[in-house]
Amino acid sequence: MDLTSMTYQSPIRPQAAQISTTKPRKGWLNAKSWAAALGVGAMALGIWGYTNRPVTDIPAYRGEIGGFAFSPFHRGESPQTGDYPSTAEIKSDLTLAARYTHNIRTYTVEGDLGQIPALAEGMHLNVTLGGWLDRHPDANAAELKKLVAVANANPDVKQIMVGNETILRGDLPVNELISDIDTVKAETHVPVSTAEPWHVWLKYPQLAAHVDFITVHLLPYWEGVPENIAVQDAMNRLQEVHQAYPDKRIVIGEIGWPSDGIDIGAARASTVNQARFMRDFFNLAQQRHLQYFVMEAFDQPWKTSFEGRAAGYWGMFNLDRQQKWSLTGPVENNPGWIFYALGSVIFSLLATMALLSRRPDVRFAGKLIFAGLVEGFTTILGLLFMNMSETYLSLGAATVWGALAAGQALLLFLLIADSFDLVETIYGRVSKRHYEPMPAPAGAKLPKVSIHLPICNEPPEMVKLTLDALAAQDYDRFEVLVIDNNTMDPAVWEPVAEHCARLGPKFRFFTLGKYKGYKAGALNFGLRETAADAEIIGVIDSDYLVEPDWLRSMVPAFDNPAVGFTQSPQDYRDNDGGLFKRMMFWEYAGFFHAGMVTRNERNAIIQHGTMTLVRKQALVNENGWAEWCITEDSQLGLRLFRAGYEAVYSKKSFGKGVMPDDYTAFRKQRFRWAYGAMRIVRANADALFNPFNKELTLGQRWHFITGWLPWFGDALGIVFLTMGLAWSVGLVIDPVRFQFPIALFMLPSIGLFFFKIVQILALYKNRVPCGFADRLGAAAAGLALSHAIGKAVWKGLFSDKLPFLRTPKMKDAPALVQGLVMAREELVILAATWGLALAVGFGHHWATLETKLWVAVMFVQSMPYLASVGVSILASLPAPAPKTVVVAQPVASPAQMGAMHPAAGD
């Protein structure tokens, strides 16, 4: 693929402006580009290193661990599925545990777990044997029978636990649990207890009366206690139980801290916090001679399905039996951070240089900004992959996380593309394809132009004004073909036909009745009726008042035989109709003042169906206008690029039309554009995405793909919002199974929203001549279309049948209630999003960062819907009376006389 096409220089007339006075070194050799990319990369590595520096202020522990809660389930094993560890796995885990402690505690004798005491023989391990009780009487009876048998057969069983948190879960009433405890006590010869959190023991003294010793769980993380006071909080709870039962021996059955999981209140789960909590506790327990079991020896990710993500990360060893942190020395949250840091920095460096090498003329400040933005985006992706590598994922979870990671990668590409567009637009110094339109001098030989004006149910008086403006063209050789199709009422088209007759033989009128192909069909009819000696086809919309020098200024571009079409901006004359019209006006202006100018630098502009001139032979060679495509103009432009033609874009406006009169019309128009664009993508997929297809340059592919990518983002936004609403319901009704996504999945969507706002404001400030309030209005107007665009994208990707949605003109503004009705779908979604976001926030007591981030994400996702409702209401407000449009009458120059008297120039 020809990478130099990204800076393609057209042989367009010598009016191309060279803005810079020095010629920057090209490509990958540009020293300033390297300085920016390497400088930012070095800073990023420094930040990675600083934030991941080892923590050295945690007191060391050099004694023996009091005991482990021992569940030897390995990867893919779970009691929920009946997949239990093999005896070889159990023995290997016992051997590992025996290196650190002489005490273990089990939870069940199901499967081969009943063999743990026998397998531990000779390892000097004292076993506190546990039996699991739940709501199934038969299973409980079998469990207790086996528990008694195993305990009596193995001298290493020193204590027995009848049930674990059975009262806390509500699986058994207290009296039934007491009965089971008494039964086991009567049939065995070792102390018997049951395990419950501290508050359960305080609530049920009758339970304490029937056990030989109290086994208390102290897990301050679940209570939202911050790590720095968590050990002391646990000791306070232990003291409360001691005070309640001073004559009972108390064993801490579970105490620990997770190395990963969501924040609960002020409790933060991390490897460093786990190590700090456990080392502090180990030292304190050694001083006070406490009996305890660490929660737990090995991570158990199977618990996450019913206890949440943190439940899988309480082990001192991970699922692969690697120690997470040592008992002495520094501790790191992410020991492998350097690999992800280097990966993100290298990727960022390559991406930055690949794009900056195409624009070495970008000022150094722009290079730094671009390198910083790319580095920031890739760092987030690197952090995400690092987090994924340290997370236990089931097949279902891996699928979901993989899909989210793919979405983040797409988001990364979009952000990089938008960032490059931002810096090259604002900081670029060289304009290589700038075309400054200059009217051809008198006497210049110019080709004949056939101007095609398709109309359908248009107000006759509006069309007459358009025709009068065409009649005033300062051009000798042209014709105007007015093609009316699908207008059934003669009272609508007959006045236009009569006006054409009054203007003379240069103006020809055709009425086609019911005719297929919509606008493209009418234009193809006009192409067949075009004068044989015409070389250029012009197309304008029925509401456009063109300047007299349009043809004389733009037609000379066709002196270059490579030029296939020219384009000048869409512009509007009704920007005095109220705030809604003003917002629309500047929303449109951004594309033509910034987007089209940047695209023109790589010969990749979007052709739009008014104020365009096309080489007739090129149009004929491409078989005319595509009647299957609702945006036949953009499709033609892409086809001409594929055929090797160039386009000429003039920033100067040569004509002004009218904007949609209400929000519904504004939304329908953008829906049509997005739907048509998706069909164009489908029809031109090979040229756009196949690297072996050379019809388009790399620069053209870049702009067509990245130009439409935000619309794909709007489509994905609908999917993400739908998923977010469904997940919010789950967070409210079942907060254990439906946990918050990790922050790394939530932050980018918030960041993207604010980046897009900043990007729009910056581009407008640099390129669009409007004030700050109008920039905000334009941003709001564009945001209001997001939902309609997203729907159009999905329909365009998977549907071939959609009616042509013509934008209505000159309609009265609707009443306020109609404004709400126009945005009723968005209003319902907005209400649902805000309602569920608040329900999640209050339901989770705004207690954690994840809660706040989730609510923030939902509100950010609701912003397009708020904008839709707001813009619709603004559109409903009464607007000032439109100003009377006066079309200048031709003066007595020969060229204008030729326009008024067609026979003179024909």
Side-chain angles (χ1 to χ4, degrees):
M1 184 173 288
D2 183 11
L3 294 180
T4 61
S5 64
M6 288 290 282
T7 53
Y8 179 85
Q9 184 169 0
S10 166
I12 290 176
R13 297 187 300 161
Q15 290 144 330
Q18 293 292 338
I19 300 173
S20 66
T21 57
T22 58
K23 187 175 182 180
R25 187 178 293 275
K26 292 184 177 181
W28 291 79
L29 300 178
N30 187 272
K32 290 185 177 180
S33 297
W34 278 106
L38 289 173
V40 170
M43 184 179 297
L45 274 179
I47 294 173
W48 272 93
Y50 180 77
T51 55
N52 287 280
R53 65 192 186 282
V55 178
T56 59
D57 64 343
I58 304 176
Y61 178 68
R62 291 181 171 84
E64 181 180 282
I65 293 174
F68 281 129
F70 186 82
S71 293
F73 290 92
H74 286 240
R75 195 178 300 275
E77 298 171 346
S78 166
Q80 295 174 308
T81 60
D83 296 311
Y84 285 88
S86 66
T87 54
E89 290 173 329
I90 295 172
K91 192 162 188 177
S92 174
D93 286 346
L94 287 169
T95 302
L96 178 58
R99 291 166 50 190
Y100 295 86
T101 187
H102 286 94
N103 299 286
I104 61 172
R105 174 201 166 182
T106 69
Y107 290 86
T108 182
V109 290
E110 287 186 297
D112 287 334
L113 299 181
Q115 298 186 46
I116 288 177
L119 294 172
E121 187 176 357
M123 297 185 184
H124 307 290
L125 285 172
N126 300 315
V127 178
T128 297
L129 190 66
W132 187 261
L133 299 178
D134 55 27
R135 301 185 181 188
H136 301 89
D138 292 341
N140 289 348
E143 177 83 354
L144 292 178
K145 181 178 179 180
K146 187 175 181 180
L147 176 70
V148 169
V150 172
N152 290 334
N154 293 277
D156 285 339
V157 175
K158 307 299 183 182
Q159 301 176 131
I160 295 175
M161 293 287 177
V162 179
N164 183 76
E165 296 185 348
T166 310
I167 303 302
L168 176 68
R169 293 192 308 274
D171 285 350
L172 291 178
V174 174
N175 62 326
E176 288 189 23
L177 178 59
I178 290 174
S179 175
D180 290 337
I181 291 171
D182 290 343
T183 298
V184 173
K185 286 173 66 176
E187 297 179 6
T188 57
H189 305 286
V190 295
V192 178
S193 180
T194 188
E196 295 287 348
W198 60 272
H199 59 87
V200 173
W201 287 108
L202 296 178
K203 184 177 181 180
Y204 298 105
Q206 67 270 36
L207 182 63
H210 283 265
V211 297
D212 296 318
F213 62 97
I214 292 174
T215 306
V216 63
H217 289 176
L218 303 173
L219 303 170
Y221 166 81
W222 289 122
E223 298 177 44
V225 179
E227 181 277 327
N228 61 332
I229 62 170
V231 172
Q232 186 56 51
D233 181 83
M235 294 303 98
N236 291 342
R237 301 304 184 187
L238 180 63
Q239 182 61 28
E240 288 183 55
V241 178
H242 266 300
Q243 290 175 350
Y245 309 107
D247 298 329
K248 288 283 186 178
R249 177 169 66 96
I250 298 178
V251 174
I252 302 174
E254 289 180 358
I255 188 166
W257 198 270
S259 61
D260 192 12
I262 65 170
D263 295 346
I264 297 180
R268 307 282 188 269
S270 72
T271 300
V272 167
N273 282 349
Q274 183 186 52
R276 189 184 300 275
F277 177 89
M278 295 312 305
R279 282 196 198 173
D280 287 345
F281 172 75
F282 289 156
N283 283 297
L284 184 63
Q286 188 179 52
Q287 295 170 13
R288 298 187 180 183
H289 306 289
L290 300 178
Q291 299 179 52
Y292 65 87
F293 294 96
V294 172
M295 177 65 189
E296 59 191 319
F298 312 112
D299 282 348
Q300 299 293 298
W302 60 270
K303 296 180 181 178
T304 59
S305 63
F306 56 91
E307 289 186 6
R309 188 165 71 241
Y313 297 89
W314 289 77
M316 278 187 58
F317 299 87
N318 64 23
L319 200 56
D320 296 319
R321 275 43 183 177
Q322 298 169 336
Q323 193 170 352
K324 297 179 184 178
W325 40 270
S326 64
L327 294 172
T328 61
V331 178
E332 293 180 89
N333 273 326
N334 310 107
W337 67 268
I338 186 63
F339 301 106
Y340 297 94
L342 287 173
S344 66
V345 168
I346 292 171
F347 179 86
S348 175
L349 178 67
L350 294 175
T352 299
M353 287 305 302
L355 291 174
L356 287 182
S357 67
R358 303 300 98 206
R359 286 301 302 264
D361 62 294
V362 170
R363 295 180 180 87
F364 186 68
K367 296 176 189 287
L368 276 176
I369 292 172
F370 179 64
L373 288 170
V374 174
E375 188 66 58
F377 303 147
T378 54
T379 295
I380 292 176
L381 197 62
L383 288 170
L384 175 60
F385 285 132
M386 182 172 71
N387 194 284
M388 290 179 66
S389 72
E390 297 169 351
T391 302
Y392 305 126
L393 298 174
S394 64
L395 179 61
T399 301
V400 173
W401 279 49
L404 289 173
Q408 299 291 350
L410 179 63
L411 183 63
L412 170 66
F413 178 73
L414 175 60
L415 288 170
I416 290 176
D418 284 346
S419 300
F420 184 63
D421 179 65
L422 177 69
V423 298
E424 75 167 335
T425 300
I426 296 178
Y427 294 98
R429 292 178 292 166
V430 175
S431 179
K432 296 189 173 187
R433 299 191 80 253
H434 173 68
Y435 179 82
E436 192 63 39
M438 300 286 292
K445 186 178 180 181
L446 298 171
K448 184 173 181 177
V449 179
S450 181
I451 301 173
H452 297 174
L453 179 65
I455 62 175
C456 175
N457 288 305
E458 305 292 356
E461 295 306 316
M462 181 182 73
V463 181
K464 290 179 183 180
L465 292 175
T466 300
L467 294 173
D468 289 342
L470 288 174
Q473 279 295 299
D474 181 15
Y475 200 84
D476 292 330
R477 304 180 64 229
F478 75 97
E479 67 172 1
V480 176
L481 276 59
V482 182
I483 308 106
D484 173 81
N485 68 334
N486 296 302
T487 301
M488 298 296 105
D489 185 359
V492 176
W493 61 261
E494 283 177 350
V496 179
E498 293 168 1
H499 198 69
C500 286
R502 284 195 296 269
L503 291 173
K506 274 190 174 181
F507 289 76
R508 293 191 281 158
F509 180 84
F510 303 89
T511 182
L512 308 181
K514 188 170 179 61
Y515 200 79
K516 65 178 182 178
Y518 304 103
K519 181 179 178 180
L523 289 173
N524 282 332
F525 175 88
L527 181 61
R528 293 190 292 271
E529 296 294 328
T530 296
D533 58 341
E535 299 178 44
I536 309 297
I537 303 294
V539 180
I540 66 169
D541 282 348
S542 59
D543 56 327
Y544 265 75
L545 304 184
V546 298
E547 299 293 331
D549 60 344
W550 172 43
L551 297 180
R552 183 167 288 275
S553 299
M554 295 303 295
V555 167
F558 290 93
D559 291 346
N560 178 0
V563 172
F565 68 98
T566 70
Q567 187 70 65
S568 52
Q570 288 183 198
D571 202 356
Y572 303 95
R573 63 181 188 269
D574 56 342
N575 189 21
D576 58 348
L579 183 56
F580 172 61
K581 288 289 182 82
R582 191 177 185 89
M583 294 170 69
M584 276 196 299
F585 179 86
W586 291 116
E587 197 274 337
Y588 289 129
F591 177 70
F592 296 104
H593 285 271
M596 287 284 276
V597 173
T598 302
R599 296 176 72 106
N600 184 56
E601 286 299 298
R602 298 189 180 92
N603 193 34
I605 66 170
I606 294 285
Q607 186 179 16
H608 43 95
T610 189
M611 304 307 300
T612 184
L613 298 173
V614 187
R615 190 180 295 277
K616 185 176 81 170
Q617 191 56 52
L619 183 55
V620 171
N621 291 345
E622 293 302 313
N623 299 312
W625 303 88
E627 297 183 18
W628 58 267
C629 185
I630 204 166
T631 48
E632 70 292 323
D633 39 17
S634 300
Q635 165 67 2
L636 175 65
L638 186 53
R639 285 159 58 201
L640 292 175
F641 286 140
R642 292 180 63 178
Y645 287 100
E646 295 179 25
V648 171
Y649 180 69
S650 165
K651 293 189 292 183
K652 180 180 177 181
S653 169
F654 286 100
K656 296 184 178 183
V658 296
M659 292 177 281
D661 282 332
D662 56 40
Y663 175 68
T664 297
F666 184 43
R667 181 173 54 188
K668 281 183 178 180
Q669 183 188 65
R670 199 58 55 91
F671 185 97
R672 178 169 61 87
W673 292 353
Y675 176 83
M678 295 308 103
R679 295 208 63 197
I680 291 172
V681 169
R682 290 166 55 190
N684 297 273
D686 186 68
L688 289 170
F689 302 109
N690 182 358
F692 301 104
N693 186 314
K694 304 298 182 181
E695 293 177 306
L696 296 175
T697 66
L698 181 58
Q700 288 169 336
R701 293 184 190 203
W702 171 265
H703 278 295
F704 277 98
I705 293 173
T706 60
W708 284 326
L709 196 58
W711 286 356
F712 283 98
D714 289 331
L716 290 175
I718 294 177
V719 175
F720 292 147
L721 179 59
T722 302
M723 294 171 61
L725 292 172
W727 203 260
S728 294
V729 173
L731 288 169
V732 172
I733 65 176
D734 192 354
V736 173
R737 292 182 181 273
F738 290 84
Q739 290 200 17
F740 295 101
I742 62 172
L744 288 171
F745 281 133
M746 295 189 279
L747 285 172
S749 62
I750 299 174
L752 174 63
F753 174 77
F754 288 104
F755 171 79
K756 293 295 291 184
I757 297 298
V758 171
Q759 180 198 28
I760 291 171
L761 295 178
L763 287 174
Y764 267 72
K765 182 178 180 180
N766 183 263
R767 287 295 180 91
V768 185
C770 66
F772 182 75
D774 286 327
R775 294 172 208 156
L776 289 178
L783 195 63
L785 299 170
S786 298
H787 182 67
I789 290 171
K791 288 171 55 178
V793 168
W794 289 118
K795 290 189 177 181
L797 288 174
F798 300 105
S799 172
D800 292 328
K801 294 181 180 180
L802 191 73
F804 183 87
L805 302 174
R806 186 176 61 87
T807 304
K809 314 285 187 182
M810 301 290 193
K811 297 183 68 176
D812 293 332
L816 176 60
V817 66
Q818 290 176 309
L820 291 174
V821 170
M822 284 191 290
R824 59 190 178 278
E825 183 174 324
E826 289 90 339
L827 181 61
V828 170
I829 295 173
L830 176 67
T833 304
W834 283 8
L836 283 170
L838 292 173
V840 170
F842 285 107
H844 289 257
H845 309 291
W846 307 95
T848 65
L849 175 64
E850 284 86 353
T851 302
K852 297 169 186 174
L853 279 178
W854 181 261
V855 174
V857 167
M858 295 302 292
F859 273 100
V860 164
Q861 289 186 320
S862 77
M863 286 300 100
Y865 299 91
L866 177 62
S868 297
V869 174
V871 171
S872 181
I873 292 174
L874 288 175
S876 72
L877 299 178
K883 295 179 181 178
T884 302
V885 177
V886 178
V887 179
Q889 296 301 312
V891 296
S893 70
Q896 289 177 326
M897 288 298 293
M900 289 297 294
H901 303 284
D906 212 7

